Amino acid sequence: QKEVEQNSGPLSVPEGAIASLNCTYSDRGSQSFFWYRQYSGKSPELIMSIYSNGDKEDGRFTAQLNKASQYVSLLIRDSQPSDSATYLCAVNMGGGAQKLVFGQGTRLTINP
Amino acid sequence: NAGVTQTPKFQVLKTGQSMTLQCAQDMNHNSMYWYRQDPGMGLRLIYYSASEGTTDKGEVPNGYNVSRLNKREFSLRLESAAPSQTSVYFCASSEGGENIQYFGAGTRLSVL
């Protein structure tokens, strides 16, 4: 069973601080990694994708990938109350089939 | 350009009733997916269709059937609904090797 693991939280961070979200995955053949944000009662929306080892920055968001450790993370700088949501890590597992495996999500709360 | 459209948004069924959830995308994507999301859990893949004319089982296919009607439409059918199928159902579509998936607004289904 190919797995993606996240700490379900809740993770509470003060406004203006850095929020750090972590994800591990089981399949070493995985090639594509995604972070989705899901507000309560809404559908997931893509905020970051990463395919190579290292960091990828987009505005206040930075995704970090370490394939050797099978670890992907998301950093949110200058956290805002509007960042309060559940963050889902998704991994495109190897083997040819274009399927994503999702973690259970980390619930993030930004406290004003 | 609506993206991925799901109908209905809400549905209440009695045990044993049947229904079909509809999904359509206007992004000319080849691949389409059905997920279910239960409280505190991530998204679990029910069925997917890599291209028009093909369908395949995901992680939790029991109790469901699907039809890829054409490139735009991918429907999910519950033949005899059970309380365990109470969930939020999301349809998604994607294109290309990166498998970036775009989600519909979801269908909230309760089976009594």
Short mmCIF file of all heavy atoms in Angstrom, two decimals, chain B residues 4-8 20-24 31-37 43-49 55-61 64-68 73-78 88-93 101 103-104 106-107:
data_model
loop_
_atom_site.label_atom_id
_atom_site.label_comp_id
_atom_site.label_asym_id
_atom_site.label_seq_id
_atom_site.Cartn_x
_atom_site.Cartn_y
_atom_site.Cartn_z
N VAL B 4 -14.44 22.46 -13.60
CA VAL B 4 -15.06 21.18 -13.31
C VAL B 4 -16.39 21.44 -12.59
O VAL B 4 -16.40 22.11 -11.56
CB VAL B 4 -14.16 20.29 -12.44
CG1 VAL B 4 -14.85 18.96 -12.15
CG2 VAL B 4 -12.81 20.08 -13.10
N THR B 5 -17.47 20.94 -13.16
CA THR B 5 -18.81 21.17 -12.62
C THR B 5 -19.42 19.87 -12.14
O THR B 5 -19.46 18.89 -12.89
CB THR B 5 -19.72 21.79 -13.69
OG1 THR B 5 -19.14 23.02 -14.15
CG2 THR B 5 -21.09 22.09 -13.11
N GLN B 6 -19.89 19.86 -10.89
CA GLN B 6 -20.52 18.68 -10.32
C GLN B 6 -21.97 18.97 -10.00
O GLN B 6 -22.31 20.04 -9.51
CB GLN B 6 -19.82 18.27 -9.03
CG GLN B 6 -18.43 17.72 -9.21
CD GLN B 6 -17.85 17.26 -7.89
OE1 GLN B 6 -16.78 17.71 -7.48
NE2 GLN B 6 -18.54 16.35 -7.22
N THR B 7 -22.82 17.99 -10.24
CA THR B 7 -24.22 18.07 -9.83
C THR B 7 -24.66 16.72 -9.29
O THR B 7 -24.21 15.67 -9.77
CB THR B 7 -25.14 18.46 -11.00
OG1 THR B 7 -24.94 17.53 -12.08
CG2 THR B 7 -24.86 19.87 -11.48
N PRO B 8 -25.54 16.70 -8.25
CA PRO B 8 -26.02 17.86 -7.51
C PRO B 8 -24.99 18.31 -6.48
O PRO B 8 -23.96 17.66 -6.30
CB PRO B 8 -27.26 17.30 -6.83
CG PRO B 8 -26.92 15.88 -6.55
CD PRO B 8 -26.08 15.43 -7.72
N THR B 20 -27.03 8.86 -9.45
CA THR B 20 -25.83 9.12 -10.26
C THR B 20 -25.35 10.52 -9.99
O THR B 20 -26.13 11.48 -10.05
CB THR B 20 -26.14 8.95 -11.76
OG1 THR B 20 -26.56 7.60 -12.00
CG2 THR B 20 -24.90 9.24 -12.58
N LEU B 21 -24.06 10.64 -9.69
CA LEU B 21 -23.42 11.94 -9.55
C LEU B 21 -22.78 12.29 -10.89
O LEU B 21 -22.09 11.47 -11.50
CB LEU B 21 -22.33 11.89 -8.47
CG LEU B 21 -22.76 11.95 -7.00
CD1 LEU B 21 -23.58 10.73 -6.62
CD2 LEU B 21 -21.53 12.05 -6.10
N GLN B 22 -23.04 13.52 -11.31
CA GLN B 22 -22.57 13.95 -12.62
C GLN B 22 -21.35 14.86 -12.49
O GLN B 22 -21.23 15.64 -11.53
CB GLN B 22 -23.68 14.72 -13.35
CG GLN B 22 -25.00 13.99 -13.47
CD GLN B 22 -24.95 12.87 -14.48
OE1 GLN B 22 -23.97 12.66 -15.19
NE2 GLN B 22 -26.05 12.10 -14.54
N CYS B 23 -20.45 14.74 -13.44
CA CYS B 23 -19.25 15.60 -13.47
C CYS B 23 -18.94 15.94 -14.92
O CYS B 23 -18.95 15.04 -15.78
CB CYS B 23 -18.08 14.87 -12.84
SG CYS B 23 -16.51 15.79 -12.93
N ALA B 24 -18.66 17.20 -15.17
CA ALA B 24 -18.27 17.64 -16.52
C ALA B 24 -17.14 18.65 -16.40
O ALA B 24 -17.14 19.49 -15.49
CB ALA B 24 -19.46 18.25 -17.24
N SER B 31 -7.81 13.05 -18.48
CA SER B 31 -8.00 12.22 -17.30
C SER B 31 -9.03 12.83 -16.35
O SER B 31 -9.05 14.04 -16.13
CB SER B 31 -6.67 12.05 -16.55
OG SER B 31 -5.71 11.45 -17.39
N MET B 32 -9.85 11.94 -15.76
CA MET B 32 -10.85 12.38 -14.78
C MET B 32 -10.89 11.40 -13.63
O MET B 32 -10.56 10.21 -13.79
CB MET B 32 -12.23 12.52 -15.46
CG MET B 32 -12.26 13.57 -16.55
SD MET B 32 -13.89 13.87 -17.26
CE MET B 32 -14.69 14.77 -15.92
N TYR B 33 -11.31 11.89 -12.47
CA TYR B 33 -11.21 11.13 -11.22
C TYR B 33 -12.44 11.37 -10.35
O TYR B 33 -13.00 12.46 -10.36
CB TYR B 33 -9.97 11.59 -10.43
CG TYR B 33 -8.69 11.59 -11.22
CD1 TYR B 33 -8.37 12.66 -12.06
CD2 TYR B 33 -7.79 10.54 -11.15
CE1 TYR B 33 -7.20 12.68 -12.80
CE2 TYR B 33 -6.62 10.54 -11.88
CZ TYR B 33 -6.33 11.62 -12.70
OH TYR B 33 -5.17 11.61 -13.44
N TRP B 34 -12.78 10.35 -9.57
CA TRP B 34 -13.76 10.49 -8.50
C TRP B 34 -13.10 10.12 -7.17
O TRP B 34 -12.49 9.06 -7.05
CB TRP B 34 -14.96 9.58 -8.72
CG TRP B 34 -16.00 10.16 -9.63
CD1 TRP B 34 -16.26 9.80 -10.91
CD2 TRP B 34 -16.92 11.19 -9.31
NE1 TRP B 34 -17.28 10.57 -11.42
CE2 TRP B 34 -17.71 11.43 -10.44
CE3 TRP B 34 -17.17 11.96 -8.16
CZ2 TRP B 34 -18.73 12.38 -10.48
CZ3 TRP B 34 -18.17 12.91 -8.19
CH2 TRP B 34 -18.94 13.11 -9.35
N TYR B 35 -13.27 11.02 -6.19
CA TYR B 35 -12.76 10.82 -4.84
C TYR B 35 -13.92 10.91 -3.85
O TYR B 35 -14.91 11.58 -4.10
CB TYR B 35 -11.76 11.91 -4.45
CG TYR B 35 -10.47 11.93 -5.23
CD1 TYR B 35 -10.35 12.69 -6.40
CD2 TYR B 35 -9.36 11.22 -4.79
CE1 TYR B 35 -9.15 12.73 -7.09
CE2 TYR B 35 -8.16 11.26 -5.49
CZ TYR B 35 -8.07 12.02 -6.64
OH TYR B 35 -6.89 12.07 -7.33
N ARG B 36 -13.70 10.34 -2.69
CA ARG B 36 -14.55 10.60 -1.55
C ARG B 36 -13.69 11.12 -0.41
O ARG B 36 -12.50 10.77 -0.30
CB ARG B 36 -15.34 9.38 -1.11
CG ARG B 36 -14.54 8.20 -0.65
CD ARG B 36 -15.45 7.06 -0.16
NE ARG B 36 -16.11 7.38 1.11
CZ ARG B 36 -17.04 6.63 1.68
NH1 ARG B 36 -17.45 5.51 1.11
NH2 ARG B 36 -17.58 6.98 2.84
N GLN B 37 -14.29 12.00 0.40
CA GLN B 37 -13.57 12.57 1.54
C GLN B 37 -14.45 12.45 2.78
O GLN B 37 -15.55 12.97 2.83
CB GLN B 37 -13.22 14.03 1.31
CG GLN B 37 -12.34 14.61 2.40
CD GLN B 37 -11.87 16.02 2.09
OE1 GLN B 37 -12.60 16.83 1.54
NE2 GLN B 37 -10.62 16.34 2.45
N LEU B 43 -8.33 12.64 0.71
CA LEU B 43 -9.13 12.18 -0.42
C LEU B 43 -8.75 10.75 -0.77
O LEU B 43 -7.57 10.43 -0.87
CB LEU B 43 -8.89 13.09 -1.62
CG LEU B 43 -9.31 14.54 -1.42
CD1 LEU B 43 -8.62 15.44 -2.41
CD2 LEU B 43 -10.81 14.65 -1.55
N ARG B 44 -9.76 9.93 -0.96
CA ARG B 44 -9.51 8.55 -1.38
C ARG B 44 -10.10 8.33 -2.76
O ARG B 44 -11.26 8.67 -3.00
CB ARG B 44 -10.11 7.56 -0.37
CG ARG B 44 -9.40 7.57 0.98
CD ARG B 44 -9.93 6.47 1.89
NE ARG B 44 -11.30 6.74 2.31
CZ ARG B 44 -12.07 5.85 2.92
NH1 ARG B 44 -11.62 4.65 3.20
NH2 ARG B 44 -13.30 6.18 3.27
N LEU B 45 -9.31 7.75 -3.64
CA LEU B 45 -9.70 7.58 -5.03
C LEU B 45 -10.67 6.42 -5.17
O LEU B 45 -10.40 5.30 -4.73
CB LEU B 45 -8.45 7.33 -5.88
CG LEU B 45 -8.65 7.20 -7.38
CD1 LEU B 45 -9.17 8.51 -7.97
CD2 LEU B 45 -7.35 6.79 -8.05
N ILE B 46 -11.81 6.69 -5.82
CA ILE B 46 -12.82 5.65 -6.04
C ILE B 46 -12.59 4.98 -7.40
O ILE B 46 -12.40 3.77 -7.49
CB ILE B 46 -14.24 6.25 -5.98
CG1 ILE B 46 -14.47 6.98 -4.66
CG2 ILE B 46 -15.28 5.14 -6.14
CD1 ILE B 46 -15.76 7.78 -4.63
N TYR B 47 -12.63 5.79 -8.44
CA TYR B 47 -12.38 5.34 -9.81
C TYR B 47 -11.71 6.48 -10.56
O TYR B 47 -11.83 7.65 -10.19
CB TYR B 47 -13.70 5.01 -10.54
CG TYR B 47 -14.19 3.61 -10.42
CD1 TYR B 47 -15.11 3.26 -9.42
CD2 TYR B 47 -13.78 2.62 -11.30
CE1 TYR B 47 -15.58 1.96 -9.30
CE2 TYR B 47 -14.26 1.31 -11.19
CZ TYR B 47 -15.16 1.00 -10.19
OH TYR B 47 -15.64 -0.29 -10.08
N TYR B 48 -11.03 6.11 -11.63
CA TYR B 48 -10.49 7.14 -12.50
C TYR B 48 -10.58 6.69 -13.95
O TYR B 48 -10.79 5.50 -14.25
CB TYR B 48 -9.05 7.50 -12.12
CG TYR B 48 -8.03 6.41 -12.38
CD1 TYR B 48 -7.18 6.46 -13.48
CD2 TYR B 48 -7.89 5.35 -11.49
CE1 TYR B 48 -6.24 5.48 -13.70
CE2 TYR B 48 -6.94 4.37 -11.71
CZ TYR B 48 -6.12 4.43 -12.81
OH TYR B 48 -5.19 3.45 -13.03
N SER B 49 -10.43 7.67 -14.83
CA SER B 49 -10.46 7.40 -16.27
C SER B 49 -9.29 8.15 -16.89
O SER B 49 -9.25 9.37 -16.89
CB SER B 49 -11.78 7.91 -16.85
OG SER B 49 -11.75 7.86 -18.26
N THR B 55 -11.72 3.14 -17.98
CA THR B 55 -11.93 3.41 -16.56
C THR B 55 -11.16 2.37 -15.76
O THR B 55 -10.91 1.25 -16.26
CB THR B 55 -13.41 3.36 -16.16
OG1 THR B 55 -13.94 2.06 -16.42
CG2 THR B 55 -14.23 4.40 -16.90
N ASP B 56 -10.81 2.73 -14.53
CA ASP B 56 -10.07 1.79 -13.70
C ASP B 56 -10.38 2.06 -12.24
O ASP B 56 -10.74 3.18 -11.86
CB ASP B 56 -8.57 1.89 -13.94
CG ASP B 56 -7.86 0.57 -13.73
OD1 ASP B 56 -8.45 -0.33 -13.08
OD2 ASP B 56 -6.72 0.42 -14.19
N LYS B 57 -10.24 1.00 -11.43
CA LYS B 57 -10.56 1.11 -10.01
C LYS B 57 -9.46 1.85 -9.27
O LYS B 57 -8.27 1.74 -9.59
CB LYS B 57 -10.72 -0.29 -9.41
CG LYS B 57 -11.90 -1.06 -9.96
CD LYS B 57 -11.97 -2.46 -9.34
CE LYS B 57 -13.15 -3.24 -9.91
NZ LYS B 57 -13.23 -4.61 -9.34
N GLY B 58 -9.90 2.57 -8.24
CA GLY B 58 -8.96 3.21 -7.34
C GLY B 58 -8.89 2.44 -6.04
O GLY B 58 -9.01 1.21 -6.02
N GLU B 59 -8.73 3.16 -4.94
CA GLU B 59 -8.52 2.55 -3.63
C GLU B 59 -9.81 1.98 -3.03
O GLU B 59 -9.78 0.96 -2.34
CB GLU B 59 -7.94 3.61 -2.69
CG GLU B 59 -7.63 3.15 -1.28
CD GLU B 59 -7.19 4.31 -0.40
OE1 GLU B 59 -7.00 5.43 -0.91
OE2 GLU B 59 -7.04 4.08 0.83
N VAL B 60 -10.96 2.65 -3.28
CA VAL B 60 -12.21 2.25 -2.61
C VAL B 60 -13.35 2.13 -3.62
O VAL B 60 -14.34 2.86 -3.54
CB VAL B 60 -12.57 3.24 -1.47
CG1 VAL B 60 -11.63 3.08 -0.30
CG2 VAL B 60 -12.55 4.70 -1.99
N PRO B 61 -13.30 1.17 -4.56
CA PRO B 61 -14.31 1.12 -5.61
C PRO B 61 -15.61 0.38 -5.26
O PRO B 61 -16.61 0.51 -5.98
CB PRO B 61 -13.58 0.35 -6.72
CG PRO B 61 -12.68 -0.58 -5.95
CD PRO B 61 -12.24 0.20 -4.74
N TYR B 64 -19.65 1.18 -6.07
CA TYR B 64 -19.73 2.25 -7.07
C TYR B 64 -19.49 1.71 -8.47
O TYR B 64 -18.80 0.72 -8.67
CB TYR B 64 -18.67 3.33 -6.79
CG TYR B 64 -18.69 3.91 -5.42
CD1 TYR B 64 -17.86 3.40 -4.42
CD2 TYR B 64 -19.52 4.97 -5.10
CE1 TYR B 64 -17.86 3.93 -3.13
CE2 TYR B 64 -19.53 5.52 -3.82
CZ TYR B 64 -18.70 4.99 -2.85
OH TYR B 64 -18.71 5.54 -1.58
N ASN B 65 -20.07 2.41 -9.44
CA ASN B 65 -19.75 2.18 -10.84
C ASN B 65 -19.55 3.54 -11.51
O ASN B 65 -20.07 4.56 -11.03
CB ASN B 65 -20.88 1.42 -11.56
CG ASN B 65 -20.90 -0.04 -11.17
OD1 ASN B 65 -19.92 -0.76 -11.39
ND2 ASN B 65 -21.99 -0.48 -10.58
N VAL B 66 -18.82 3.54 -12.61
CA VAL B 66 -18.57 4.81 -13.31
C VAL B 66 -18.81 4.63 -14.80
O VAL B 66 -18.79 3.50 -15.34
CB VAL B 66 -17.12 5.31 -13.11
CG1 VAL B 66 -16.92 5.78 -11.68
CG2 VAL B 66 -16.10 4.26 -13.50
N SER B 67 -19.03 5.76 -15.46
CA SER B 67 -19.16 5.80 -16.91
C SER B 67 -18.44 7.03 -17.43
O SER B 67 -18.69 8.14 -16.94
CB SER B 67 -20.63 5.86 -17.34
OG SER B 67 -21.32 4.70 -16.97
N ARG B 68 -17.53 6.81 -18.36
CA ARG B 68 -16.90 7.96 -19.05
C ARG B 68 -17.70 8.15 -20.32
O ARG B 68 -17.48 7.49 -21.34
CB ARG B 68 -15.43 7.66 -19.36
CG ARG B 68 -14.70 8.85 -19.99
CD ARG B 68 -14.43 9.94 -18.99
NE ARG B 68 -13.81 11.10 -19.58
CZ ARG B 68 -12.50 11.30 -19.65
NH1 ARG B 68 -11.67 10.40 -19.15
NH2 ARG B 68 -12.03 12.41 -20.19
N GLU B 73 -17.38 14.27 -19.82
CA GLU B 73 -18.24 13.83 -18.73
C GLU B 73 -17.83 12.49 -18.12
O GLU B 73 -17.53 11.53 -18.85
CB GLU B 73 -19.68 13.74 -19.23
CG GLU B 73 -20.24 15.07 -19.72
CD GLU B 73 -21.59 14.91 -20.38
OE1 GLU B 73 -21.66 14.33 -21.48
OE2 GLU B 73 -22.59 15.35 -19.76
N PHE B 74 -17.91 12.45 -16.79
CA PHE B 74 -17.52 11.24 -16.05
C PHE B 74 -18.49 11.11 -14.89
O PHE B 74 -18.49 11.94 -13.99
CB PHE B 74 -16.07 11.39 -15.57
CG PHE B 74 -15.47 10.16 -14.95
CD1 PHE B 74 -15.72 8.89 -15.43
CD2 PHE B 74 -14.58 10.28 -13.89
CE1 PHE B 74 -15.13 7.76 -14.88
CE2 PHE B 74 -13.97 9.17 -13.32
CZ PHE B 74 -14.25 7.91 -13.82
N SER B 75 -19.35 10.09 -14.91
CA SER B 75 -20.39 9.98 -13.89
C SER B 75 -20.08 8.85 -12.91
O SER B 75 -19.41 7.87 -13.26
CB SER B 75 -21.75 9.75 -14.54
OG SER B 75 -21.76 8.53 -15.26
N LEU B 76 -20.59 9.00 -11.70
CA LEU B 76 -20.40 8.01 -10.63
C LEU B 76 -21.77 7.54 -10.18
O LEU B 76 -22.63 8.36 -9.83
CB LEU B 76 -19.66 8.65 -9.45
CG LEU B 76 -19.42 7.76 -8.23
CD1 LEU B 76 -18.37 6.70 -8.53
CD2 LEU B 76 -18.97 8.60 -7.03
N ARG B 77 -22.00 6.24 -10.16
CA ARG B 77 -23.30 5.70 -9.81
C ARG B 77 -23.22 4.85 -8.55
O ARG B 77 -22.32 4.02 -8.41
CB ARG B 77 -23.89 4.88 -10.95
CG ARG B 77 -25.29 4.36 -10.64
CD ARG B 77 -26.02 3.96 -11.88
NE ARG B 77 -27.36 3.43 -11.55
CZ ARG B 77 -28.43 4.19 -11.32
NH1 ARG B 77 -28.35 5.51 -11.39
NH2 ARG B 77 -29.61 3.62 -11.04
N LEU B 78 -24.17 5.11 -7.65
CA LEU B 78 -24.39 4.26 -6.49
C LEU B 78 -25.63 3.44 -6.77
O LEU B 78 -26.73 3.97 -6.89
CB LEU B 78 -24.60 5.09 -5.23
CG LEU B 78 -23.39 5.82 -4.61
CD1 LEU B 78 -22.90 6.96 -5.49
CD2 LEU B 78 -23.73 6.32 -3.22
N VAL B 88 -18.44 13.28 1.28
CA VAL B 88 -18.35 14.34 0.28
C VAL B 88 -17.60 13.77 -0.91
O VAL B 88 -16.50 13.21 -0.75
CB VAL B 88 -17.64 15.59 0.81
CG1 VAL B 88 -17.59 16.67 -0.27
CG2 VAL B 88 -18.34 16.12 2.06
N TYR B 89 -18.19 13.91 -2.07
CA TYR B 89 -17.60 13.35 -3.29
C TYR B 89 -17.07 14.47 -4.17
O TYR B 89 -17.76 15.45 -4.44
CB TYR B 89 -18.65 12.54 -4.06
CG TYR B 89 -19.05 11.28 -3.33
CD1 TYR B 89 -20.04 11.30 -2.34
CD2 TYR B 89 -18.42 10.07 -3.60
CE1 TYR B 89 -20.39 10.17 -1.65
CE2 TYR B 89 -18.76 8.92 -2.91
CZ TYR B 89 -19.74 8.98 -1.94
OH TYR B 89 -20.09 7.84 -1.25
N PHE B 90 -15.82 14.31 -4.59
CA PHE B 90 -15.18 15.29 -5.48
C PHE B 90 -14.80 14.63 -6.79
O PHE B 90 -14.27 13.53 -6.83
CB PHE B 90 -13.91 15.86 -4.84
CG PHE B 90 -14.17 16.78 -3.68
CD1 PHE B 90 -13.98 16.34 -2.39
CD2 PHE B 90 -14.58 18.08 -3.90
CE1 PHE B 90 -14.21 17.19 -1.30
CE2 PHE B 90 -14.82 18.94 -2.83
CZ PHE B 90 -14.64 18.49 -1.53
N CYS B 91 -15.07 15.36 -7.85
CA CYS B 91 -14.60 15.00 -9.18
C CYS B 91 -13.41 15.90 -9.51
O CYS B 91 -13.36 17.06 -9.10
CB CYS B 91 -15.72 15.21 -10.19
SG CYS B 91 -15.26 14.88 -11.90
N ALA B 92 -12.45 15.36 -10.25
CA ALA B 92 -11.29 16.14 -10.65
C ALA B 92 -10.90 15.76 -12.07
O ALA B 92 -11.27 14.69 -12.57
CB ALA B 92 -10.12 15.91 -9.70
N SER B 93 -10.17 16.66 -12.71
CA SER B 93 -9.63 16.34 -14.04
C SER B 93 -8.19 16.82 -14.12
O SER B 93 -7.76 17.69 -13.35
CB SER B 93 -10.47 16.98 -15.15
OG SER B 93 -10.33 18.38 -15.15
N GLN B 101 -4.18 18.24 -10.78
CA GLN B 101 -5.62 17.96 -10.80
C GLN B 101 -6.41 19.18 -10.34
O GLN B 101 -6.03 19.86 -9.38
CB GLN B 101 -5.94 16.74 -9.92
CG GLN B 101 -5.31 15.47 -10.47
CD GLN B 101 -5.78 14.22 -9.74
OE1 GLN B 101 -6.73 14.25 -8.97
NE2 GLN B 101 -5.11 13.11 -10.02
N PHE B 103 -10.29 20.45 -9.17
CA PHE B 103 -11.44 19.83 -8.52
C PHE B 103 -12.73 20.60 -8.73
O PHE B 103 -12.72 21.84 -8.83
CB PHE B 103 -11.17 19.73 -7.00
CG PHE B 103 -10.18 18.67 -6.66
CD1 PHE B 103 -8.82 18.92 -6.73
CD2 PHE B 103 -10.61 17.42 -6.27
CE1 PHE B 103 -7.89 17.94 -6.42
CE2 PHE B 103 -9.68 16.42 -5.95
CZ PHE B 103 -8.33 16.68 -6.04
N GLY B 104 -13.83 19.84 -8.77
CA GLY B 104 -15.15 20.44 -8.70
C GLY B 104 -15.48 20.84 -7.28
O GLY B 104 -14.71 20.58 -6.35
N GLY B 106 -17.78 19.70 -5.34
CA GLY B 106 -18.15 18.59 -4.47
C GLY B 106 -19.65 18.36 -4.38
O GLY B 106 -20.46 19.25 -4.63
N THR B 107 -19.98 17.12 -4.03
CA THR B 107 -21.36 16.71 -3.75
C THR B 107 -21.41 16.15 -2.34
O THR B 107 -20.65 15.24 -2.02
CB THR B 107 -21.85 15.64 -4.73
OG1 THR B 107 -21.90 16.17 -6.05
CG2 THR B 107 -23.24 15.15 -4.33
#
